[in-house]
Amino acid sequence: MDAIYPTEQFNPELNKNSHFKRLRLLVRPLQFIVDLLVLTVAFTLACLLRFEFAIPPAERPHFLVQLVPVVLVQFVLLHLSGIYTFIWRYVGMAELRAFVKAALYSATPFLILRLFLPQEFQSLRIPVSIILMDTVLAFGAVLGVRVLRRDIHETWGKRHRANGKDKSTRRSILLIGAGRAGVMVAKEIQGRSDTDLHIAGFVDDAPQKQGSAIHGIKVLGTTKELPQLVRELNIDHVVVSIAQASRADFRRILNICEEIPVKVRTVPCLYEVLQGTVKVSRIRDVQIEDLLGREPVQLDEPEIARFVAGKVVMVTGAGGSIGLELARQVARFRPAELLLVERAEFALFSIDRELRASWPDLHIVPLVADVGRETRMRPIFKNHRPTLVLHAAAHKHVPMMEFNATEAVRNNVLATSLLGELAAEFNVEAFVLISTDKAVRPSSVMGATKRTAELVIQDLSNRFATRYVAVRFGNVIGSTGSVIPIFNEQIRKGGPVTVTHADMTRYFMTIPEAAQLVLQAGAMGEGGEIFILDMGKPVRILELAKTAITLSGLRPYSDIDIVFTGIRAGEKLYEELELTEEQTSRTQHPKIFISKINAYPEEKMHEALERLAMLSESGSEVEIRRYLNDLLPEARLHIPDTLPEPIPEVLEFPLARLQAVH
C-alpha cells in the first residue's frame, strides 16, 4: 500500500495549493505549444500569401529549411522580451511594447541575411515580403491569442457575476468624471466579482467626451443633466470619481445631488491611490474633508529631495497628526535614517509599524522620549547625528492649555529652546518649527507659547549656523481632537452638535497638504524666516456643523440639533495668519509667504527663557500669563482672579542650557 502523508490527507488547503501548483506546471508548457503552433502557421501563411497559395516546387525545400530557424528565433525572442512573465488574462496596452520589441528584433537578422548573404545560400535568403508578412502575422497572432484569453475571462466573469446576483439587488451608479480616476474606478469595478454595483454610465462636463464610450461605458451627459439621469436610470447613488476635484466643484455637485435628492459618494484622492494606501475602487461616503481640502498642491519635488534624500531626519511628535504625516512624506524622499521621537508609546508603535510596512527598506529608529528632557535628547543627538529636525512636538489644544500654562511653557517654549541649542551643538543642517496661526495676536496660553517659540527660533538663527525656520498655519482637517471628528462623534450619538459661536471662523488645511508645504518651506528657508502657509478662505464653524449633519443623511435642526455653547477661554472668533498684509512677502511658491517680524535682542530672549523656566518650575499659572502679556505686546491673555494652583514639580529644563553653546 502506498504511504499516506497526514499533512496532505487532513489539510485541504495544502491539497488545494498543491493542485494549483500542478496546474501551473501544466499551463506553461501548454502556452509554449500554442505559441509554437501559432508561429508555424503564421510563417506558412506568409509563404502562401507570397506565392498566392501556390508555392512553386523549387521553393518548397527552401520553405522547409527556413521554417525551423524562423520559428525558433521568434520563440526565443518572445522569452527574452519577458512575454512569458505576463498573465494572459491581464494582457493590455501596457504589454504591447514587449510584443513590438520582440517582432522588430526577430525580423532584423533575417533582413540582414537577405540583403548580405551571397546567392549560393539561397535557402537562408528569405524574401523580404515573407519576412514582413510573417512578422506581422506571427506576433499579431501571439498577441491576439492572449487578448482572446482575456476577453473570454472577462466575458465569463461578467456572466458569472450576473448569474450570481439577482438583477433586482444590483445597485446602479453614475460615475461623475470620465478622466483618469473615473476610468480606473470603472475598470476595477468591472473586474471584481464581489461587488453589487452596476455602472450605468459616466457624467462629465467636458464637451468632447459627450456621447463617447470608455471601456464600454457611455458618457451620458453633464452634471446639469444629473436630475434627469438619476430618475430615468433609477440610480442608487452617484460617485465623484474626479482625482482632485476642487472645493468649488465638490460643493456644486453636492448641492445638485441634495436637490434631486440622491446619495453622493467619492473615491480616494489620487495621492492615496498612487501611494498604495487604498484601492481606487474603495468608494466611500463624501466627508467634510472632501469639501475643504482637495485643492492640489504643486511641489518642487527636486528641491524637497535635495532637502531630505540621503539625510538623517528627526521628526519630533511623530505620533501626532502632523508629525505622523511629516514622517510619511519624509519617507517618500528616501532619507538615510528616519528618527521618530514620541512620548506616547502606543502612538509611536503605530507609526513605526505603518512606515515599516510601507517602506521596508527604510532605516527607521523609533525613540520613546520627552523632548524637554536633556538627559534623553542629548544622547539621541550624539548617537544619531540628525541632519534635519522637524519639530512638531507641542501642546496644541487651546482650552486645555488654559488650565495648564506651566506645561505649555515647558513643552512649547523651553523644549524648543533645548532642541534648538542641541541642533546647533551637533551641527544640524536645518531645524523646522511647526507653529500656528494662534501665535498671531495671541489670546490664549497656547498661542502665546507658540509665538514665544517662534522668537526662540529667530534668536537661535542669529546665533548659530544651523538654518532655523518656523512654519505657521491654521487648523488641519481631521487632526486628533479637532472640530470635525468631534462633530462626527456627536452626530453618531444622536446630537446635539455643539458650536461655540454662530460667527466663529477658522482656516482649514488637509494634513497631507500641510506636511508637504512644511517640507517645501523648510527646503527654501535660509534661516530666521517665519513662513506662513496660504490657508485659503476661512470657513464658518456653523456651516461645517450643518454640512457634517447633511453628509450623514440627516437634516440640521430637524434630525440633529445645533446648540451654541459660548466662546471658551483663550478662543477668538477669527484667527489670523499674519499681522498685516504689509508684513508678509511672497516666495517662489504660491502658497507660501514670509512674515516680516523682527527678532528680539539676544539679551531679552535669554532673560525671557530664564524667567519662564523659573515660573514654570514654581507652577505659577497666573504669573506666567502676566509675563507672557509683558513679553508679547500683541498678546491679550486673560488674567483670572484665581486659578487652581497645580502641585509644583521639579523642572527638568536646566537653566545652564540657556547659556550659549560653544
Side-chain angles (χ1 to χ4, degrees):
M1 182 181 292
D2 293 336
I4 297 176
Y5 294 95
T7 54
E8 291 192 13
Q9 182 181 11
F10 298 109
N11 191 338
E13 198 61 39
L14 182 61
N15 287 332
K16 183 179 178 182
N17 291 336
S18 300
H19 176 65
F20 284 142
K21 288 179 181 178
R22 286 194 293 269
L23 277 178
R24 282 198 295 269
L25 291 174
L26 292 173
V27 166
R28 185 54 59 86
L30 183 61
Q31 291 177 347
F32 295 161
I33 293 170
V34 169
D35 283 343
L36 287 170
L37 286 173
V38 167
L39 296 174
T40 301
V41 171
F43 186 75
T44 304
L45 183 57
C47 290
L48 289 171
L49 290 172
R50 165 68 174 80
F51 296 106
E52 297 182 354
F53 292 90
I55 301 176
E59 295 292 336
R60 290 172 189 170
H62 301 324
F63 163 73
L64 295 174
V65 171
Q66 295 162 0
L67 175 63
V68 175
V70 167
V71 170
L72 286 178
V73 167
Q74 291 174 337
F75 184 71
V76 168
L77 282 164
L78 285 173
H79 262 290
L80 296 178
S81 299
I83 287 168
Y84 288 108
T85 63
F86 302 154
I87 300 175
W88 284 30
R89 65 179 179 271
Y90 297 129
V91 167
M93 291 300 295
E95 289 75 28
L96 180 61
R97 182 178 299 176
F99 287 91
V100 173
K101 186 190 299 182
L104 293 175
Y105 288 168
S106 70
T108 301
F110 296 112
L111 287 171
I112 293 172
L113 290 174
R114 174 63 185 178
L115 296 174
F116 298 104
L117 267 182
Q119 192 67 32
E120 51 266 29
F121 296 98
Q122 180 66 26
S123 60
L124 295 177
R125 298 177 75 248
I126 305 172
V128 173
S129 58
I130 293 180
I131 295 172
L132 296 179
M133 284 190 291
D134 176 51
T135 300
V136 173
L137 290 171
F139 290 93
V142 169
L143 176 61
V145 169
R146 286 156 172 77
V147 172
L148 179 63
R149 170 68 178 88
R150 172 177 171 173
D151 183 64
I152 292 171
H153 169 75
E154 292 181 353
T155 303
W156 180 85
K158 288 178 182 178
R159 288 178 181 173
H160 175 72
R161 290 192 295 272
N163 293 333
K165 294 182 180 292
D166 184 355
K167 288 185 178 180
S168 62
T169 64
R170 298 180 70 195
R171 296 180 294 160
S172 293
I173 65 171
L174 287 173
L175 298 181
I176 301 180
R180 181 179 178 184
V183 172
M184 291 172 70
V185 173
K187 286 177 64 177
E188 199 164 332
I189 290 176
Q190 287 179 324
R192 293 177 68 104
S193 59
D194 58 348
T195 179
D196 63 348
L197 300 179
H198 164 66
I199 304 173
F202 283 111
V203 173
D204 200 294
D205 288 334
Q208 66 271 21
K209 294 180 182 178
Q210 300 306 309
S212 61
I214 303 170
H215 290 288
I217 303 169
K218 290 184 177 180
V219 179
L220 301 175
T222 65
T223 51
K224 291 182 179 179
E225 300 170 82
L226 263 177
Q228 177 185 348
L229 293 171
V230 168
R231 286 192 300 270
E232 292 179 353
L233 301 174
N234 193 26
I235 298 300
D236 180 78
H237 61 271
V238 301
V239 178
V240 181
S241 55
I242 306 172
Q244 290 181 318
S246 68
R247 302 176 187 183
D249 284 339
F250 239 103
R251 172 57 68 183
R252 179 178 60 83
I253 293 169
L254 186 63
N255 289 340
I256 293 172
C257 293
E258 284 178 1
E259 291 176 4
I260 295 175
V262 66
K263 186 174 179 61
V264 188
R265 307 188 78 192
T266 188
V267 297
C269 69
L270 194 58
Y271 166 76
E272 294 175 289
V273 176
L274 295 177
Q275 288 297 301
T277 55
V278 293
K279 289 188 177 293
V280 72
S281 62
R282 187 69 61 82
I283 297 171
R284 57 169 173 77
D285 292 337
V286 176
Q287 300 167 353
I288 296 179
E289 289 89 332
D290 300 312
L291 304 176
L292 295 179
R294 290 178 68 103
E295 300 288 1
V297 179
Q298 301 298 325
L299 298 177
D300 184 352
E301 298 213 353
E303 183 177 32
I304 297 177
R306 287 192 294 272
F307 183 55
V308 173
K311 298 179 181 178
V312 179
V313 181
M314 174 189 288
V315 179
T316 70
S321 304
I322 292 295
L324 186 152
E325 186 61 31
L326 279 172
R328 290 190 189 117
Q329 296 291 340
V330 166
R332 290 175 53 213
F333 293 96
R334 297 291 182 180
E337 187 175 61
L338 180 55
L339 311 177
L340 305 175
V341 178
E342 172 59 52
R343 183 165 57 181
E345 180 194 16
F346 182 72
L348 181 61
F349 167 77
S350 300
I351 181 58
D352 177 56
R353 184 175 63 171
E354 176 192 322
L355 290 179
R356 289 183 190 278
S358 301
W359 308 95
D361 298 329
L362 182 61
H363 186 199
I364 301 171
V365 183
L367 298 163
V368 178
D370 183 340
V371 292
R373 287 184 58 203
E374 184 186 8
T375 54
R376 174 62 173 143
M377 295 309 300
R378 175 176 285 279
I380 290 175
F381 274 82
K382 183 178 180 179
N383 295 333
H384 296 280
R385 301 282 174 170
T387 318
L388 169 63
V389 175
L390 303 175
H391 181 37
H395 289 319
K396 66 174 186 177
H397 294 289
V398 170
M400 189 64 65
M401 290 305 101
E402 290 302 295
F403 294 95
N404 297 277
T406 55
E407 288 305 311
V409 167
R410 290 182 187 185
N411 204 35
N412 294 357
V413 180
L414 302 181
T416 299
S417 177
L418 170 64
L419 289 181
E421 295 209 14
L422 286 172
E425 181 179 345
F426 290 96
N427 301 313
V428 169
E429 181 182 305
F431 185 105
V432 181
L433 167 71
I434 309 301
S435 189
T436 171
D437 58 352
K438 294 166 181 62
V440 181
R441 279 194 279 268
S443 61
S444 64
V445 169
M446 194 281 278
T449 54
K450 293 299 283 185
R451 174 70 189 116
T452 307
E454 292 178 350
L455 293 171
V456 168
I457 290 301
Q458 287 183 306
D459 176 61
L460 291 167
S461 181
N462 289 334
R463 294 193 285 129
F464 301 113
T466 297
R467 292 189 292 114
Y468 296 89
V469 299
V471 183
R472 181 190 289 175
F473 53 89
N475 300 274
V476 288
I477 302 169
S479 63
T480 307
S482 63
V483 66
I484 294 174
I486 291 173
F487 284 166
N488 291 335
E489 181 183 358
Q490 291 173 335
I491 293 167
R492 282 195 298 270
K493 292 180 178 179
V497 170
T498 57
V499 177
T500 53
H501 193 282
D503 296 324
M504 180 167 283
T505 63
R506 289 294 182 268
Y507 292 96
F508 286 96
M509 176 178 281
T510 63
I511 296 175
E513 183 182 13
Q516 290 166 14
L517 289 176
V518 164
L519 291 180
Q520 187 75 73
M524 66 174 62
E526 297 179 358
E529 301 98 335
I530 298 176
F531 289 101
I532 300 172
L533 304 186
D534 179 10
M535 302 290 295
K537 295 181 180 179
V539 178
R540 289 182 69 199
I541 302 301
L542 177 58
E543 293 304 316
L544 275 187
K546 292 178 181 178
T547 302
I549 295 170
T550 301
L551 291 178
S552 300
L554 303 170
R555 291 170 296 173
Y557 301 112
S558 177
D559 300 319
I560 298 286
D561 199 12
I562 299 176
V563 299
F564 298 101
T565 58
I567 298 177
R568 297 171 294 183
E571 286 187 328
K572 296 189 285 187
L573 270 182
Y574 314 102
E575 296 292 359
E576 306 160 278
L577 285 171
E578 67 279 334
L579 295 175
T580 65
E581 191 173 336
E582 290 76 21
Q583 289 180 295
T584 61
S585 60
R586 292 186 175 274
T587 67
Q588 64 266 32
H589 195 284
K591 286 197 170 187
I592 301 176
F593 300 84
I594 296 177
S595 178
K596 301 175 184 176
I597 304 175
N598 293 329
Y600 280 19
E602 181 181 340
E603 298 76 15
K604 185 172 184 178
M605 283 308 304
H606 179 75
E607 178 187 340
L609 290 171
E610 281 192 325
R611 178 70 173 160
L612 287 170
M614 183 187 70
L615 291 173
S616 64
E617 185 177 11
S618 67
S620 178
E621 301 269 328
V622 174
E623 289 303 316
I624 284 176
R625 289 169 174 272
R626 287 199 180 101
Y627 185 73
L628 288 173
N629 274 340
D630 292 339
L631 178 66
L632 308 170
E634 71 274 20
R636 302 189 300 274
L637 272 63
H638 173 65
I639 308 297
D641 294 332
T642 58
L643 271 177
E645 292 294 333
I647 299 173
E649 298 177 3
V650 177
L651 179 67
E652 296 187 32
F653 184 93
L655 296 183
R657 290 294 306 141
L658 298 174
Q659 305 298 325
V661 176
H662 298 290

